[in-house]
Amino acid sequence: MIGTAKGLFLARRERVGDAWQVSVPHFPMTSVYAVGIDTRGATPRLLAGVESSHFGPSVAISDDLGASWREPEQAPIAFPKETGESLKQVWALQPGPAGEPSVVWAGSQPSALFKSTNGGVTYELVRSLWDHPHRPEWGAGFGGQAIHTILPHPEDPQRLLVAMSTGGVYRTTDGGQTWTASNTGIKAYFLPGNQYPEFGQCVHKVSRDAVNPDRLYLQNHHGVYRSDDDGRSWQSIADGLPSDFGFPMVAHPRQADTAWNFPLVADGNRYPVENKCQVFKTTDAGKTWQAQSYGLPAAPFYSAVLRDALCVDDADPVGVYFGARTGEVFASADEGESWALVASHLPSVACVRAAQI
Amino acid sequence: MSVQVVVPSALRSEVDGASRVSVESAGSLRAVLDEVERRWPRLGRRIRDEQGELRRFVNVYVNGEDCRSLEGQETPVTDGAEVQVIPSVAGGSDIDGDAILADNFAPWVKDLGLTVEEMGADFATLRLPWSDRLAREGGAMSGQAMMAAADTATVIAISSARGGFCPMTTVQLSTTFQRPVLGKDVLVTARLTKLGRTLAFADITLTCEGAVVAHATTVYALM
């Protein structure tokens, strides 16, 4: 699934080595900022957060790989009347853990968490986080104020981590009754005064280690961090990277200590480091990082990869995918060792998700 | 008390394709939109957000006047009034592709049941619905049906690009068939590669569930 500024594209191939078949746009002329593939059921379900500049945001689902889409009569995600808020955009669609097959989480702009218990058809606001006393102080990043990351715990449904820009990381360990800001060690360089506040960080993305669920990898607005205690505290793992700025961060779905990101030079210089199209991978939980660029464009590359535009599938070996704001999508079928183009000249890519079905 | 609500083409799928619907409500625009939302919730929520506010880039006209220059949703709406919902200008085309289909083609082409999914400055996407009547021996959709759909999609794309229908005729149509279609609709996207004064050239991709099933090129003479 390739979500872009002007519609959703679906790319598929029967097997590695075949050419990719790229669809015409679904939901043409809408921005598709969040997509999800829920593979927990008997048939995979596609989820798409679409936003029409005219007719507003919605969530559509497909149980036939995009041949048809459906939406409920009532708005799938809506703020209750008394909040006085209205949904601007869906930023995250995250299927819950395997043990809760009908749970799907959604993150929104303005910053709020929604929970679906019917497989992502309709959602309800999680009031406990909405009513958090910090909320009036959560800020807006350049892209708007939103919850963009939702990480269920694979074994413990009582535990959930969310991240927002700006605001930072919040965790619950009691099924969402209470939420705790969890940013110890993460720097907010842009603040005057205290640069290590309890909350207010501009976290860009967090990903959870597949083998050790207490281990998390985090790309910050400057700063790359790891937590070994389910987000209670964070240590820098930026030293092995050419830059500590960037947006995405994706952990390997099965292998411990392994993750990918796509560094950019700096906040004020949002180009790939050395203008090279390259992904960085760690296999030692962030101590060292290796560039991966075989098969990627050798010409100077000036495009950025957004926070949800880097993903992995669940194949063996793992496929890695990323899309650029200039409309290219690249795939690696060998964990980043070599790359090939999936599609080019698409509208600006906001998000990609992939699965082996 | 009855009010006519004019539905923009992008939202007609929410009202079974109707271009206007009749609503038994009047008094204020808010009451009319409340009734629209009650009867067609998906249409309603595309016009107003969950707080009942008109979406920023949706304009609603009451008897030809923008409600924002009147009293907003408190604008009085009397019996027999016309309420027009119009997406604010942002490209695209306001010509009615389905009307062109209905008015300008031979009866057997109409029998294909083609509908316009999308039109833009240089393209049109039509849906060719599956029908057992289109199946040839072996059960797959016949190539003749897909060629007719590709030909027809070109007419809609040219009409969209020119801002309306004009007489035209096919000079050349070449098609390659790449995959069989079994029991599924086909989406037919005609994209103009050149629109000249007397000739138009188009590239047509036919897809089924995202996979390319056929590809065609056409040349049209514009009368």
Side-chain angles (χ1 to χ4, degrees), chain B residues 114-132:
Chain B
L114 293 163
T115 53
V116 177
E117 292 276 307
E118 183 73 15
M119 296 163 68
D122 64 348
F123 78 99
T125 299
L126 272 51
R127 179 177 292 270
L128 171 59
W130 171 262
S131 156
D132 290 337

Side-chain angles (χ1 to χ4, degrees), chain A residues 10 17 62 67 80 97 135 157 159 169 183 190 206 208 258 268 294 303 305 313 326 328 333 346:
Chain A
L10 300 176
S62 173
R135 188 174 63 81
R159 286 206 264 172
V169 174
N183 300 289
F190 49 86
V206 192
R208 197 186 286 278
T258 305
Y294 184 79
S303 192
V305 175
D313 64 20
T326 38
E328 299 92 353
L346 301 182

Side-chain angles (χ1 to χ4, degrees), chain A residues 135-202:
Chain A
R135 188 174 63 81
E137 295 174 60
W138 293 343
F142 180 65
Q145 185 222 41
I147 288 186
H148 50 66
T149 298
I150 305 164
L151 296 179
H153 193 280
E155 287 128 31
D156 182 356
Q158 298 299 305
R159 286 206 264 172
L160 187 72
L161 178 149
V162 301
M164 65 187 81
S165 301
T166 66
V169 174
Y170 283 76
R171 294 162 51 240
T172 180
T173 55
D174 56 14
Q177 291 177 53
T178 58
W179 295 85
T180 312
S182 245
N183 300 289
T184 305
I186 304 175
K187 189 172 183 178
Y189 80 92
F190 49 86
L191 293 179
N194 180 13
Q195 297 195 328
Y196 289 93
E198 181 190 4
F199 65 97
Q201 283 82 349
C202 186

Side-chain angles (χ1 to χ4, degrees), chain B residues 11-72:
Chain B
L11 297 182
R12 285 180 198 161
S13 57
E14 307 301 349
V15 286
D16 294 327
S19 59
R20 52 177 64 223
V21 292
S22 189
V23 173
E24 296 303 315
S25 175
S28 68
L29 178 58
R30 188 181 303 279
V32 172
L33 294 177
D34 285 349
E35 179 63 11
V36 166
E37 189 160 330
R38 192 188 66 75
R39 288 184 57 189
W40 303 282
R42 275 198 305 243
L43 175 61
R45 66 181 159 92
R46 284 165 162 80
I47 300 170
R48 299 188 298 183
D49 69 22
E50 61 262 52
Q51 298 300 334
E53 297 295 326
L54 280 182
R55 294 198 181 276
R56 188 175 157 208
F57 295 114
V58 171
N59 299 331
V60 180
Y61 285 67
V62 177
N63 288 332
E65 284 214 60
D66 186 347
C67 76
R68 287 193 175 93
S69 67
L70 301 170
E71 294 167 52

Side-chain angles (χ1 to χ4, degrees), chain A residues 104-163:
Chain A
V104 176
W105 299 95
S108 73
Q109 175 189 352
S111 286
L113 179 67
F114 289 81
K115 182 180 188 179
S116 168
T117 54
N118 57 10
V121 181
T122 57
Y123 300 76
E124 267 188 56
L125 178 67
V126 175
R127 291 304 299 235
S128 53
L129 187 57
W130 181 255
D131 293 334
H132 198 285
H134 291 168
R135 188 174 63 81
E137 295 174 60
W138 293 343
F142 180 65
Q145 185 222 41
I147 288 186
H148 50 66
T149 298
I150 305 164
L151 296 179
H153 193 280
E155 287 128 31
D156 182 356
Q158 298 299 305
R159 286 206 264 172
L160 187 72
L161 178 149
V162 301

Side-chain angles (χ1 to χ4, degrees), chain A residues 218-265:
Chain A
L218 183 149
Q219 174 68 58
N220 197 45
H221 192 103
H222 278 301
V224 182
Y225 298 90
R226 192 183 82 212
S227 171
D228 292 332
D229 51 13
D230 194 25
R232 275 184 286 274
S233 65
W234 300 88
Q235 301 83 40
S236 175
I237 51 168
D239 284 353
L241 281 164
S243 163
D244 68 353
F245 192 82
F247 287 92
M249 176 66 80
V250 176
H252 193 290
R254 286 186 304 273
Q255 188 175 307
D257 302 339
T258 305
W260 288 267
N261 81 345
F262 192 98
L264 304 177
V265 177

